[in-house]
Amino acid sequence: MIIVMSPKADENKTDAVLERLKRAGFQIHLSQGVERTIIGAIRDRTRMGDLALAAMPGVESVVPILQPYKLASRAFKEEGTIVRVGDIAIGGEEIHVMAGPCAVESREQLLEAARLVKEAGATLLRGGAFKPRTSPYSFQGLEEEGLKLLAEAREKTGLKVVTEVMDASTLPMIAEYADILQIGTRNMQNFFLLREVAKVDKPVLLKRGVSATIEEWLMAAEYIMAGGNYNVILCERGIRTYESFTRNTLDLAAIPVVKHLSHLPIIVDPSHAIGKWRFVPPMAAAAVAAGADGLLIEVHPNPAEALCDGPQSLTPTNFQSLMQDLKSVAGVFGRKVGGN
Amino acid sequence: MIIVMSPKADENKTDAVLERLKRAGFQIHLSQGVERTIIGAIRDRTRMGDLALAAMPGVESVVPILQPYKLASRAFKEEGTIVRVGDIAIGGEEIHVMAGPCAVESREQLLEAARLVKEAGATLLRGGAFKPRTSPYSFQGLEEEGLKLLAEAREKTGLKVVTEVMDASTLPMIAEYADILQIGTRNMQNFFLLREVAKVDKPVLLKRGVSATIEEWLMAAEYIMAGGNYNVILCERGIRTYESFTRNTLDLAAIPVVKHLSHLPIIVDPSHAIGKWRFVPPMAAAAVAAGADGLLIEVHPNPAEALCDGPQSLTPTNFQSLMQDLKSVAGVFGRKVGGN
Amino acid sequence: MIIVMSPKADENKTDAVLERLKRAGFQIHLSQGVERTIIGAIRDRTRMGDLALAAMPGVESVVPILQPYKLASRAFKEEGTIVRVGDIAIGGEEIHVMAGPCAVESREQLLEAARLVKEAGATLLRGGAFKPRTSPYSFQGLEEEGLKLLAEAREKTGLKVVTEVMDASTLPMIAEYADILQIGTRNMQNFFLLREVAKVDKPVLLKRGVSATIEEWLMAAEYIMAGGNYNVILCERGIRTYESFTRNTLDLAAIPVVKHLSHLPIIVDPSHAIGKWRFVPPMAAAAVAAGADGLLIEVHPNPAEALCDGPQSLTPTNFQSLMQDLKSVAGVFGRKVGGN
Amino acid sequence: MIIVMSPKADENKTDAVLERLKRAGFQIHLSQGVERTIIGAIRDRTRMGDLALAAMPGVESVVPILQPYKLASRAFKEEGTIVRVGDIAIGGEEIHVMAGPCAVESREQLLEAARLVKEAGATLLRGGAFKPRTSPYSFQGLEEEGLKLLAEAREKTGLKVVTEVMDASTLPMIAEYADILQIGTRNMQNFFLLREVAKVDKPVLLKRGVSATIEEWLMAAEYIMAGGNYNVILCERGIRTYESFTRNTLDLAAIPVVKHLSHLPIIVDPSHAIGKWRFVPPMAAAAVAAGADGLLIEVHPNPAEALCDGPQSLTPTNFQSLMQDLKSVAGVFGRKVGGN
């Protein structure tokens, strides 16, 4: 950490800052320039905490040097983490596609969707049983009935199941049915929920908050890991910007950046990011070219009849054609699309 | 709702859209221009739901015309809502200041803070017992002990207490102690929690999500109101933008905009928005000039020793001086700062 | 400047960085921690330039410590600058209101507008003769004829004239007529134009770029000052964010922040920021409460007939009523609205 | 265009709006619902202009239906435009890479860079002779000497030359040397400059403004096309968002969106978007996978000695390796990297 003192700060103020740093166990490096004094303070990352340094008299600014996360950092663990879901390995050579409808709507719809995406090469089935909806008047999901249908689809197709957890109270029930627990974008900083999923022995798919920095996202992963669950998969799903033609702006640079800063696997959800099916396939291909370990894609047997997110869902035909492209792009980088 | 058909859409596609709209109970107005067909569709707002119109063949775009919220809208209730907290009325002529430390740290700190802010003219005491922290390694609050100290401070000073609820599991406990339940910015779209506070007979202070549009914010209020709790106070607390000199960008225009769209009272939290104490007083004065019904301000007996948010907390002296200015600005607009 | 070396950087890499810093005239402070090496480098601000340090092997990040602007900084000149326009002083005790139509449309419209705003207490007349328009098919301004009408209005009312310069080629003509040269938001980083207005002996009103940081804005002022023109007035006019209910988000915190970092006066344009006349008065009052040295407000004798920006223009009646409020708010802070 | 009347608007107000629309040549479609009146207004796109409808009494909102650009739209010209630069065709089957240093620094540097990028498969040479710099104290370019060196490099390698025009006054000189005129991100809405390049018989590379919407960007292209120059190449170069780990956020979705809305070719500049060389190659590959027609990439013989943008420049080795990947990714989509 670097503390920049104000040009007008006298010696007493600087001494007070130094005193506090020493008490907190920091190693000090003092640089007294002509114009101002700069203090370098170094401490073992594991004893992090809060010091109200920026509130002390004479302090102009405080510049952190080390990343605030530890367990999630590449420095902590050099080789990439591989998250195993049964016989599936996420984060390795294989790129896994998680596909299916936004919401589980009916037995017929889900089994049909599962069959179709399996056939096209997906290895995991997505589908919401509990749905976070901006409006209280929108369809909120089939709840436990939806979970049972997901389990039935898994049995029939062999696809693993990923579904969203919205609250600690329904977590035990969802954990019984799901293979991967999804934390949605609105809950990325629901710290109570993060601590709860940390205690469950299931991989967690952690979506990036719609206005979270990459650092805040890795801090959310740190919450789960600090609670004992190391099987975290990150999911980029678009960030909120001023551009409103697409629903959000897909930040594909997050892929190589996360791989540089962290050892955790990262996948991409182009469907929610873009919000219009027409632009989903090129962004899915781009995600693979940028190094994603997987994709989360909305596919519906009949998007125009979907109860949720129809406009961003691919038809089965479009999905099949996309999967062909993904396999070829993956091949360029020595990877393959999982399960094929 | 306006549905714009693509220039290439033939009659069959338009008919399919019309058919779906009619089945859903819409009144139809068809405009067939030379270049394209535009469909106006009007329906009673109370029967809102989802139609995947944008996913239908031939549809170019769907433009909503009516606001998606109802109970929260000014159209639903013309006169402004006044939320009563004991003998305090929020949303009327009086402007109420809620002040105190970020976190309850100790009995001494809290009672001292309460005494000071009461003396300067605040009518409510703020203070976190459960703290949402970006890092799992930061101070997380005194929990129930903190709630007890808040209750003691209320008894000693007569100040009402506002404190944050982070999860349904601790809601009953917090509701026993607090006068106003605060929903923090990270939980604005925690729909489970919104439904739970809707069932409690206490006013709710709903902070704007850090990247929420005003419409999404009013939809979150709608969740609480649709659940039966009409005593919602909105709180603008800064939005995330590219400018990083201040922590967030305080969107003061939200005050007149919310008052135009909704009947709910709105207050402002300049401390969290700005993140640097030096700039808090001018923004607090500006909020009152823009028509805010109240303020949420961090004050600490000794900011440089605070366990949380010291850099943005006012000293008692700065707070007293600010309160004098606020009273004068309120006077210009025929209002007064509550309790004085 | 702080250079953080990568944990893996060996001594040779650190030496190469030190060598380059020394050659460039920096004073060095080396901190060798257990985990990594941190280099503090201090140099006289006046000899700023580019060093591609972040591209050197072993360098993890480079953190600037000093502000990159000098002449515009409060450190360079402690007392606030007062810009004089004839007998008007901007940046002192008086708050000056610059009002008038978006565009000069006709003799009748302009003279009527000038008379009205003068009567209500404005001291400067705004009006565009050259208009930057997003669409090539929109009204582009009356050009020199518009300038002549502005000069006539000045003669008739005594109001000073502020108008926009869009290009170096029309600068000499505009400088002949205008009292203040306005650089619009789209030209804040038109460095050619900044260098040209720096050579003219007229005050410059520098609007903030719609996505400029405060630091970039002060760097643009530095361009003008480095070119010899010290009479720069900054104008906050809203920044682009995800919120689209208002045209832009008015960043009023920029007022106290600019006053902290710089000695230059700062005014606010709520009309362009908000884009809807209904919300302009509360934001104008808020700007004065936050410490603005002036306002730029669109007023049109008949907004519904305006050729440009009608929706954000105040009617004469609304403007008169606003001016009354502004005078009262200014009084709270010991200031007065200029010319009254 | 859709005009939504306020629920309280009486017949007279509606009639006034209808009257104005009719006078302006619109075809009217009136929908009178129970709650409010909605007016659909359709007119030939070619007679666009401004109507201050939103400022009229009783009007709640105005919703545009048609895109405001015409010549740039896909509706105007269905097949994709191919821009020819000598024997090079941009916008067709070939993907063209424009590579070279940020700034022309010296004869040796430029000729070496040109030789290297040519060898690796680039077909155009980039290099700035006039440099827009945020700081007036930074290196501003070699000006005409730089242009001469670019011409010499072209002669030696056969590479076409793309270089930036910053002002109308230097345009004739630059047009003499360059094959493609680049309009930088800060000048995307410098309408004077757009009108000037419209008169020159050279293709224009129009970079997206750092906070421009896709619609505003296409409107800027419309300025150039309306002025008579149809050879416009769009260049996505990152937009400003809250995420600051990368310099900007590369909006790759702009590629398929632009191809949907417009017939103009679009290329991508990952170097400026990301600002850190390490993350440039994956984003370049992603851009090709998303359908880009070309790339603009900074390559420097020795980035650590660059006078400008060293941290984001690729070394020759990294560039060669990237070009191999690009060729393979292009192959997946039936395209090839130009000149090979």
Side-chain angles (χ1 to χ4, degrees):
Chain A
M1 173 170 44
I2 303 295
I3 296 98
V4 184
M5 301 301 294
S6 146
K8 294 178 219 153
D10 61 20
E11 223 169 283
N12 288 342
K13 286 175 181 159
T14 305
D15 286 350
V17 172
L18 293 175
E19 183 53 33
R20 177 170 303 182
L21 286 168
K22 279 175 197 157
R23 260 191 292 142
F26 280 90
Q27 221 188 313
I28 306 295
H29 299 268
L30 194 66
S31 301
Q32 269 164 317
V34 182
E35 266 192 86
R36 62 184 75 208
T37 296
I38 291 168
I39 303 166
I42 297 177
R43 193 174 63 167
D44 177 1
R45 200 185 343 208
T46 54
R47 290 182 301 143
M48 284 178 292
D50 296 292
L51 284 177
L53 289 168
M56 293 187 74
V59 173
E60 189 170 294
S61 62
V62 176
V63 184
I65 294 299
L66 297 183
Q67 298 143 346
Y69 45 85
K70 183 189 171 189
L71 304 173
S73 75
R74 180 71 79 174
F76 179 73
K77 177 166 177 289
E78 197 145 344
E79 70 283 12
T81 285
I82 291 184
V83 174
R84 295 191 186 278
V85 189
D87 56 341
I88 286 175
I90 297 172
E93 193 198 46
E94 285 182 357
I95 293 166
H96 287 279
V97 177
M98 312 176 180
C102 167
V104 180
E105 297 170 14
S106 70
R107 186 166 182 274
E108 193 194 357
Q109 170 242 25
L110 187 70
L111 296 185
E112 174 68 359
R115 194 185 58 74
L116 288 164
V117 303
K118 162 82 178 182
E119 210 175 275
T123 38
L124 296 103
L125 176 66
R126 62 146 294 147
F130 294 84
K131 297 300 306 170
R133 303 304 297 273
T134 303
S135 165
Y137 310 118
S138 293
F139 174 61
Q140 311 272 331
L142 294 184
E143 310 200 346
E144 189 162 10
E145 193 197 325
L147 295 172
K148 284 181 180 161
L149 293 173
L150 286 165
E152 186 183 343
R154 171 175 48 203
E155 211 165 306
K156 286 219 158 62
T157 58
L159 293 168
K160 302 294 175 197
V161 164
V162 52
T163 197
E164 182 167 353
V165 184
M166 282 175 63
D167 188 75
S169 67
T170 51
L171 172 57
M173 187 211 291
I174 295 170
E176 244 178 79
Y177 294 96
D179 297 299
I180 299 182
L181 301 168
Q182 178 180 319
I183 300 289
T185 188
R186 294 177 185 81
N187 281 318
M188 191 202 83
Q189 291 195 320
N190 182 336
F191 302 122
F192 263 75
L193 186 55
L194 297 182
R195 281 201 207 96
E196 292 304 313
V197 296
K199 297 175 195 158
V200 178
D201 185 24
K202 295 265 176 177
V204 177
L205 183 72
L206 180 66
K207 285 201 160 185
R208 181 179 185 178
V210 75
S211 67
T213 62
I214 291 173
E215 186 174 295
E216 289 166 343
W217 189 18
L218 291 174
M219 285 307 289
E222 186 85 6
Y223 257 93
I224 301 171
M225 298 175 85
N229 188 341
Y230 280 51
N231 289 307
V232 178
I233 303 160
L234 299 165
C235 179
E236 159 66 27
R237 47 79 67 219
I239 61 174
R240 180 156 270 182
T241 71
Y242 68 85
E243 175 61 72
S244 61
F245 191 89
T246 47
R247 182 197 278 173
N248 292 122
T249 298
L250 187 60
D251 181 14
L252 287 181
I255 301 169
V257 169
V258 159
K259 291 206 162 290
H260 180 63
L261 298 175
S262 174
H263 53 86
L264 296 172
I266 176 170
I267 71 164
V268 170
D269 175 352
S271 304
H272 280 87
I274 304 302
K276 297 180 176 173
W277 66 268
R278 189 189 303 278
F279 309 120
V280 168
M283 299 318 285
V288 169
D293 295 310
L295 290 165
L296 195 60
I297 295 182
E298 289 195 355
V299 180
H300 194 285
N302 185 356
E305 298 288 345
L307 292 182
C308 157
D309 283 351
Q312 73 198 29
S313 297
L314 295 185
T315 60
T317 312
N318 286 335
F319 181 65
Q320 281 154 15
S321 149
L322 168 60
M323 289 297 282
Q324 291 311 314
D325 284 348
L326 295 184
K327 286 168 196 173
S328 304
V329 177
V332 169
F333 298 94
R335 301 181 81 173
K336 58 180 186 167
V337 174
N340 289 277
Chain B
M1 173 170 46
I2 304 295
I3 296 97
V4 184
M5 301 300 294
S6 147
K8 292 178 223 152
D10 60 23
E11 223 170 282
N12 288 342
K13 286 175 181 161
T14 304
D15 286 350
V17 172
L18 293 175
E19 182 53 34
R20 178 171 302 182
L21 286 167
K22 280 175 197 157
R23 260 190 293 139
F26 280 90
Q27 219 188 314
I28 304 296
H29 299 268
L30 194 66
S31 303
Q32 267 163 319
V34 181
E35 264 191 88
R36 63 185 74 208
T37 296
I38 291 168
I39 304 166
I42 296 178
R43 192 175 63 166
D44 178 0
R45 200 186 342 209
T46 54
R47 291 182 300 144
M48 282 178 292
D50 296 290
L51 285 177
L53 289 168
M56 292 186 75
V59 173
E60 188 170 294
S61 61
V62 176
V63 184
I65 293 300
L66 298 183
Q67 298 144 347
Y69 44 87
K70 182 188 174 191
L71 304 173
S73 75
R74 180 70 80 174
F76 179 73
K77 178 166 175 290
E78 196 145 345
E79 71 283 12
T81 285
I82 291 185
V83 174
R84 296 191 187 278
V85 190
D87 55 341
I88 287 174
I90 298 173
E93 193 198 46
E94 286 182 355
I95 292 166
H96 287 279
V97 177
M98 313 177 180
C102 166
V104 181
E105 296 170 14
S106 70
R107 186 166 182 274
E108 194 194 354
Q109 171 244 22
L110 188 70
L111 296 186
E112 174 67 359
R115 195 185 57 74
L116 288 164
V117 303
K118 162 82 178 183
E119 211 175 275
T123 37
L124 295 104
L125 176 66
R126 61 147 293 146
F130 294 83
K131 299 298 308 169
R133 303 305 298 272
T134 304
S135 164
Y137 310 118
S138 293
F139 173 62
Q140 311 272 331
L142 293 184
E143 311 200 346
E144 188 161 12
E145 194 197 326
L147 295 172
K148 286 180 180 161
L149 293 174
L150 286 166
E152 186 183 343
R154 171 173 49 202
E155 210 165 305
K156 285 220 157 64
T157 58
L159 294 168
K160 302 293 176 198
V161 165
V162 52
T163 198
E164 180 166 354
V165 184
M166 282 174 63
D167 188 75
S169 67
T170 52
L171 171 56
M173 187 210 292
I174 294 170
E176 244 178 80
Y177 294 97
D179 297 299
I180 299 181
L181 300 168
Q182 178 180 318
I183 299 289
T185 188
R186 293 178 186 82
N187 280 319
M188 192 202 84
Q189 291 195 321
N190 182 335
F191 302 122
F192 263 74
L193 187 54
L194 297 181
R195 281 202 208 95
E196 293 304 313
V197 296
K199 298 175 196 158
V200 178
D201 185 24
K202 297 263 176 178
V204 176
L205 183 72
L206 180 66
K207 285 200 158 184
R208 181 179 185 178
V210 76
S211 67
T213 61
I214 291 173
E215 185 173 297
E216 289 165 344
W217 190 16
L218 291 173
M219 284 307 289
E222 186 86 6
Y223 257 94
I224 301 172
M225 299 176 84
N229 188 341
Y230 280 51
N231 289 306
V232 178
I233 304 160
L234 299 165
C235 179
E236 160 65 28
R237 47 79 66 219
I239 60 174
R240 180 155 270 180
T241 71
Y242 69 84
E243 175 61 72
S244 62
F245 191 88
T246 48
R247 184 196 278 173
N248 292 123
T249 298
L250 187 60
D251 180 15
L252 288 181
I255 301 169
V257 169
V258 159
K259 290 204 164 292
H260 180 64
L261 298 175
S262 174
H263 53 86
L264 296 172
I266 175 168
I267 71 165
V268 170
D269 175 352
S271 305
H272 279 88
I274 305 302
K276 297 182 176 172
W277 67 267
R278 188 191 304 276
F279 309 120
V280 168
M283 298 318 286
V288 170
D293 295 309
L295 289 165
L296 195 60
I297 295 183
E298 289 195 355
V299 180
H300 194 285
N302 186 355
E305 299 288 344
L307 292 182
C308 158
D309 282 350
Q312 73 198 32
S313 298
L314 294 185
T315 60
T317 311
N318 286 336
F319 182 64
Q320 282 154 17
S321 149
L322 168 61
M323 288 297 284
Q324 291 311 314
D325 284 349
L326 296 185
K327 287 167 196 174
S328 305
V329 176
V332 169
F333 298 94
R335 301 181 80 173
K336 58 178 186 168
V337 174
N340 288 277
Chain C
M1 173 171 46
I2 304 293
I3 296 98
V4 183
M5 301 299 295
S6 148
K8 293 179 219 151
D10 61 21
E11 223 169 283
N12 288 342
K13 286 174 181 161
T14 303
D15 286 351
V17 172
L18 293 175
E19 183 52 34
R20 179 171 302 181
L21 287 167
K22 280 175 197 158
R23 260 190 292 139
F26 280 90
Q27 220 189 313
I28 305 294
H29 299 267
L30 194 65
S31 302
Q32 267 162 319
V34 182
E35 266 192 86
R36 64 183 75 207
T37 295
I38 291 168
I39 304 167
I42 297 177
R43 191 174 63 168
D44 177 1
R45 199 182 348 205
T46 54
R47 290 182 300 143
M48 284 178 291
D50 296 291
L51 284 177
L53 289 168
M56 292 186 75
V59 173
E60 188 170 295
S61 61
V62 176
V63 183
I65 294 298
L66 297 183
Q67 298 143 346
Y69 45 86
K70 182 188 174 189
L71 304 173
S73 75
R74 180 72 78 173
F76 179 73
K77 178 166 176 290
E78 197 145 344
E79 70 283 11
T81 285
I82 291 184
V83 174
R84 296 190 186 278
V85 189
D87 55 343
I88 288 175
I90 297 172
E93 193 197 45
E94 286 181 356
I95 292 166
H96 286 279
V97 177
M98 313 176 178
C102 167
V104 181
E105 297 170 14
S106 70
R107 186 166 183 275
E108 194 194 356
Q109 170 243 24
L110 188 69
L111 295 186
E112 174 68 358
R115 194 186 58 74
L116 289 163
V117 303
K118 163 83 177 182
E119 210 175 275
T123 38
L124 295 103
L125 176 65
R126 61 147 294 148
F130 294 84
K131 298 300 307 170
R133 302 306 297 273
T134 304
S135 164
Y137 310 116
S138 294
F139 174 62
Q140 312 272 330
L142 293 183
E143 310 201 345
E144 187 161 12
E145 193 196 325
L147 295 172
K148 285 181 179 160
L149 293 173
L150 286 166
E152 186 183 344
R154 171 173 50 203
E155 210 165 305
K156 285 219 158 62
T157 58
L159 293 169
K160 301 294 174 196
V161 164
V162 52
T163 197
E164 181 167 353
V165 184
M166 282 174 63
D167 189 74
S169 68
T170 52
L171 172 57
M173 186 209 294
I174 295 170
E176 245 178 79
Y177 294 96
D179 298 298
I180 299 181
L181 302 168
Q182 178 180 319
I183 300 289
T185 189
R186 294 178 185 81
N187 279 320
M188 191 202 83
Q189 290 195 320
N190 182 335
F191 302 121
F192 263 75
L193 186 55
L194 298 181
R195 282 201 207 95
E196 292 304 312
V197 295
K199 297 175 196 158
V200 178
D201 186 23
K202 295 266 176 176
V204 176
L205 182 71
L206 180 66
K207 286 202 159 185
R208 181 180 185 178
V210 76
S211 66
T213 62
I214 291 173
E215 185 174 297
E216 288 165 344
W217 190 17
L218 291 173
M219 284 306 291
E222 186 86 6
Y223 257 94
I224 300 171
M225 298 174 85
N229 188 342
Y230 280 51
N231 290 306
V232 178
I233 303 161
L234 299 166
C235 179
E236 160 65 28
R237 47 80 66 219
I239 61 174
R240 180 155 271 180
T241 72
Y242 69 85
E243 175 61 71
S244 61
F245 191 89
T246 47
R247 182 196 281 174
N248 292 123
T249 298
L250 187 60
D251 181 14
L252 288 180
I255 301 168
V257 169
V258 159
K259 291 206 162 291
H260 180 63
L261 298 175
S262 175
H263 53 85
L264 295 172
I266 174 170
I267 71 165
V268 169
D269 175 352
S271 305
H272 280 88
I274 305 301
K276 297 180 177 175
W277 67 268
R278 188 190 304 276
F279 309 120
V280 168
M283 298 318 285
V288 170
D293 294 311
L295 290 164
L296 195 60
I297 295 182
E298 290 194 355
V299 180
H300 194 284
N302 185 354
E305 299 288 345
L307 292 182
C308 157
D309 282 350
Q312 73 198 30
S313 298
L314 295 185
T315 61
T317 311
N318 286 335
F319 181 64
Q320 280 155 16
S321 151
L322 169 61
M323 288 298 281
Q324 291 311 313
D325 285 348
L326 295 184
K327 286 168 196 172
S328 304
V329 176
V332 169
F333 299 94
R335 303 181 81 172
K336 57 179 188 169
V337 174
N340 287 278
Chain D
M1 172 171 45
I2 304 294
I3 296 97
V4 183
M5 301 300 294
S6 148
K8 295 177 220 152
D10 61 22
E11 223 168 284
N12 288 342
K13 286 175 181 161
T14 304
D15 286 350
V17 172
L18 293 175
E19 182 53 34
R20 179 171 304 182
L21 287 167
K22 280 175 196 156
R23 259 191 294 140
F26 280 89
Q27 219 189 315
I28 305 295
H29 300 268
L30 194 66
S31 303
Q32 267 162 319
V34 182
E35 266 192 86
R36 64 185 73 211
T37 295
I38 292 168
I39 304 166
I42 296 178
R43 192 174 62 169
D44 177 1
R45 201 186 343 209
T46 53
R47 291 182 300 144
M48 283 178 291
D50 296 291
L51 284 177
L53 290 169
M56 292 187 75
V59 173
E60 188 170 293
S61 62
V62 176
V63 184
I65 294 299
L66 297 183
Q67 298 144 345
Y69 44 87
K70 182 186 173 190
L71 305 173
S73 74
R74 180 72 77 173
F76 179 73
K77 177 166 176 291
E78 196 145 345
E79 70 284 10
T81 285
I82 291 184
V83 174
R84 295 191 185 279
V85 189
D87 56 342
I88 287 175
I90 297 173
E93 192 198 47
E94 286 181 357
I95 292 167
H96 286 279
V97 177
M98 313 177 179
C102 166
V104 180
E105 297 170 14
S106 71
R107 185 167 183 274
E108 194 194 354
Q109 171 244 22
L110 188 70
L111 296 186
E112 174 67 359
R115 195 186 55 75
L116 288 163
V117 304
K118 162 82 178 182
E119 211 175 274
T123 38
L124 295 103
L125 176 66
R126 60 149 293 148
F130 294 83
K131 297 300 306 170
R133 303 305 296 272
T134 304
S135 165
Y137 309 119
S138 293
F139 173 63
Q140 312 272 332
L142 293 183
E143 311 201 345
E144 187 160 12
E145 194 198 324
L147 295 172
K148 286 181 179 159
L149 293 174
L150 286 165
E152 186 183 345
R154 170 174 49 203
E155 209 164 306
K156 286 220 157 62
T157 59
L159 293 168
K160 303 293 175 197
V161 164
V162 52
T163 197
E164 180 167 353
V165 184
M166 283 175 63
D167 190 75
S169 68
T170 52
L171 172 57
M173 187 209 293
I174 294 170
E176 243 178 81
Y177 293 96
D179 298 298
I180 300 181
L181 301 168
Q182 178 180 319
I183 301 289
T185 187
R186 293 177 186 82
N187 280 320
M188 191 203 83
Q189 290 195 320
N190 183 335
F191 302 121
F192 263 75
L193 187 55
L194 297 182
R195 281 201 207 95
E196 292 304 313
V197 296
K199 298 175 195 156
V200 178
D201 185 24
K202 295 266 176 175
V204 177
L205 183 71
L206 180 66
K207 285 201 159 185
R208 181 179 184 178
V210 76
S211 66
T213 61
I214 290 173
E215 185 173 297
E216 289 165 345
W217 189 17
L218 291 174
M219 284 306 290
E222 186 86 6
Y223 257 93
I224 301 171
M225 298 174 84
N229 187 342
Y230 281 50
N231 290 306
V232 178
I233 303 160
L234 300 165
C235 179
E236 158 66 29
R237 48 79 65 218
I239 62 174
R240 180 155 270 181
T241 72
Y242 69 84
E243 175 61 72
S244 61
F245 191 89
T246 47
R247 182 195 280 173
N248 292 124
T249 298
L250 186 60
D251 181 14
L252 288 181
I255 302 168
V257 168
V258 160
K259 291 206 163 289
H260 180 64
L261 298 175
S262 175
H263 53 85
L264 295 172
I266 175 170
I267 72 165
V268 170
D269 175 352
S271 304
H272 280 87
I274 305 301
K276 298 181 176 171
W277 66 268
R278 188 191 304 276
F279 309 119
V280 168
M283 298 318 285
V288 170
D293 295 310
L295 290 164
L296 195 60
I297 295 182
E298 289 194 357
V299 180
H300 194 285
N302 185 355
E305 299 288 344
L307 292 182
C308 158
D309 283 349
Q312 74 198 30
S313 297
L314 295 185
T315 60
T317 312
N318 286 334
F319 181 65
Q320 281 155 14
S321 149
L322 168 62
M323 289 297 282
Q324 291 311 313
D325 284 348
L326 295 184
K327 288 168 195 171
S328 304
V329 176
V332 169
F333 299 94
R335 302 180 80 171
K336 58 180 186 169
V337 174
N340 289 278

